[in-house]
Amino acid sequence: MKLIAGNWKMNGLQASAAEADAVRVAPRPRGVELLLCPPATLLAAFAGRLAGSGIGLGGQDCHALASGAHTGDLSAEMLADAGASHVIVGHSERRMDHGETDAIVRAKVQAAWRAGLVAILCVGETLAQREAGQALAVVAAQLAGSVPPGANAARLVIAYEPVWAIGSGLTPTPEQIVEVHQAIAGQMRGLAGEPVRVLYGGSVKPGNAAELLALPGVDGALVGGASLKAGDFLAIAAAAQGQTP
Ligand code: PEP
């Protein structure tokens, strides 16, 4: 089943929680799993609104530890306690803004699993790395460094997010996406012993979602900017309906 996940990033006030209502009451595309990842300040409001809807709720990051003296951080256990089922880890904005290394990201994946959450692990190359012909090697190294032992399809999802495609309106060519997704799928079969879903992320919009989601090996999308409006998010989800898993 395709997964369409919305990453709200640092956007949204209490009034924006109404978007969750709009997603909840809209006709649900068949065979598509939906997930919303609002900022932590909206998790409780979203949890109340989405309860019983089948729409998942995710955090955007977590600390590796369960509790302690870490001002401003949130643990995976806190996210689960607030109603989350998933957490995004290793997003390029975390890697860049907060200097997160693969080792740190790996510990966060383990924290997610400890708390019973599904980890959505983001990987992807910068434009300089793409232009230097290093995209596959960069992604392979990120996976090798950040996927802990014990990975399986039930608790890990990979998101391929080329850094240069995030929020830029640019997307890789279909051939580039398929090449990286195939490489990730092959590496993950080795690491997890079974297929793990691989999402594409980076400037997914209603206008390009059908084409991107139809590509072989694209098991869904991680959507940033276009997830903030329920209508756009639902249009992307609708584009996933009827596509092969
Ligand atoms: C993201 O940051 O996860 C993302 C995919 O952003 P956008 O869709 O805005 O490019």
Side-chain angles (χ1 to χ4, degrees):
M1 189 183 289
K2 300 244 195 228
L3 170 61
I4 306 298
N7 172 14
W8 276 36
K9 311 191 185 189
M10 195 173 72
N11 295 293
L13 303 175
Q14 295 300 319
S16 325
E19 295 297 323
D21 292 330
V23 174
R24 184 195 168 111
V25 301
R28 191 77 45 80
R30 284 185 308 282
V32 180
E33 187 181 345
L34 299 183
L35 175 73
L36 289 173
C37 303
T41 49
L42 292 179
L43 275 175
F46 273 49
R49 288 172 139 95
L50 298 178
S53 70
I55 300 169
L57 182 66
Q60 296 178 9
D61 179 53
C62 65
H63 195 279
L65 299 176
S67 63
H70 301 284
T71 303
D73 279 316
L74 293 171
S75 70
E77 282 77 2
M78 290 169 172
L79 297 176
D81 185 53
S85 51
H86 292 63
V87 61
I88 299 168
V89 293
H91 193 283
S92 59
E93 289 156 11
R94 298 287 317 174
R95 292 177 189 261
M96 287 188 294
D97 293 355
H98 300 273
E100 293 189 3
T101 62
D102 287 334
I104 291 172
V105 174
R106 186 177 191 272
K108 292 184 177 202
V109 174
Q110 287 175 310
W113 294 349
R114 185 188 64 222
L117 300 179
V118 178
I120 300 179
L121 169 59
C122 302
V123 294
E125 81 284 0
T126 63
L127 186 57
Q129 290 165 334
R130 163 66 64 184
E131 288 176 345
Q134 297 168 345
L136 290 177
V138 166
V139 168
Q142 287 174 331
L143 289 178
S146 56
V147 176
N152 63 42
R155 58 184 189 170
L156 183 64
V157 175
I158 307 297
Y160 169 53
E161 298 209 307
V163 178
W164 51 276
I166 293 176
S168 64
L170 303 172
T171 53
T173 65
E175 294 73 23
Q176 289 171 331
I177 294 175
V178 170
E179 180 184 42
V180 179
H181 276 245
Q182 279 176 349
I184 293 173
Q187 190 172 352
M188 288 310 304
R189 270 195 299 277
L191 290 170
E194 62 180 357
V196 166
R197 281 191 288 186
V198 185
L199 312 183
Y200 168 75
S203 297
V204 178
K205 303 183 277 275
N208 62 14
E211 185 194 4
L212 293 169
L213 289 164
L215 294 173
V218 174
D219 301 315
L222 181 54
V223 184
S227 71
L228 293 169
K229 291 272 170 285
D232 286 351
F233 183 67
L234 289 162
I236 292 167
Q241 184 174 319
Q243 310 258 12
T244 47

